[in-house]
Amino acid sequence: SAGVKFSRSMYADAIAAAGRGRGQSRKESRRLRWQTAESLFAQMEAEGITPDEETFAVMIDAFWGGRQAGKAFRMFEAMRARGIQPSAQTVSSLVMVFSQVTRDTL
């Protein structure tokens, strides 16, 4: 059966929505958000849709919200490895991730 084909922008919107989603508890909510976003990103790539700067940015935001700094930094590195330049918003998100890591380690 022919299903709906998601475009890159539809995936970016779905990932962003997953990153803002709600769960049973605060910790559970954070975990579900970044895991759902990660799953959508993997599905997008499996369908042959190449992520763009917006898609990487919403993934970084989802990882930041889920307190997954290592994953956020790895996503940034994957973006750079593909030659995609980060926007000012993406750089701002990375600064927030870095400040979170710094705060958590002090």
Side-chain angles (χ1 to χ4, degrees):
S1 73
V4 174
K5 285 286 199 185
F6 272 44
S7 67
R8 180 182 305 130
S9 65
M10 290 170 74
Y11 269 110
D13 289 344
I15 290 167
R20 292 186 303 265
R22 303 278 187 250
Q24 299 300 319
S25 68
R26 184 177 218 174
K27 185 177 181 180
E28 178 75 6
S29 177
R30 281 195 304 261
R31 184 179 59 78
L32 288 173
R33 287 189 306 239
W34 69 261
Q35 287 179 339
T36 301
E38 192 172 48
S39 177
L40 286 165
F41 187 86
Q43 180 180 337
M44 179 187 76
E45 288 193 306
E47 291 180 9
I49 300 172
T50 305
D52 61 2
E53 198 283 332
E54 177 188 11
T55 314
F56 280 108
V58 294
M59 281 302 303
I60 290 168
D61 284 343
F63 286 138
W64 171 54
R67 296 183 176 264
Q68 298 295 311
K71 288 181 178 282
F73 285 122
R74 284 191 292 280
M75 188 61 61
F76 176 70
E77 288 301 319
M79 181 177 79
R80 296 214 31 210
R82 294 179 188 205
I84 299 172
Q85 294 298 313
S87 67
Q89 179 182 354
T90 302
V91 172
S92 177
S93 291
L94 286 168
V95 169
M96 297 302 291
V97 170
F98 181 73
S99 69
Q100 176 187 38
V101 169
T102 303
R103 242 187 352 261
D104 290 348
T105 58
L106 293 178

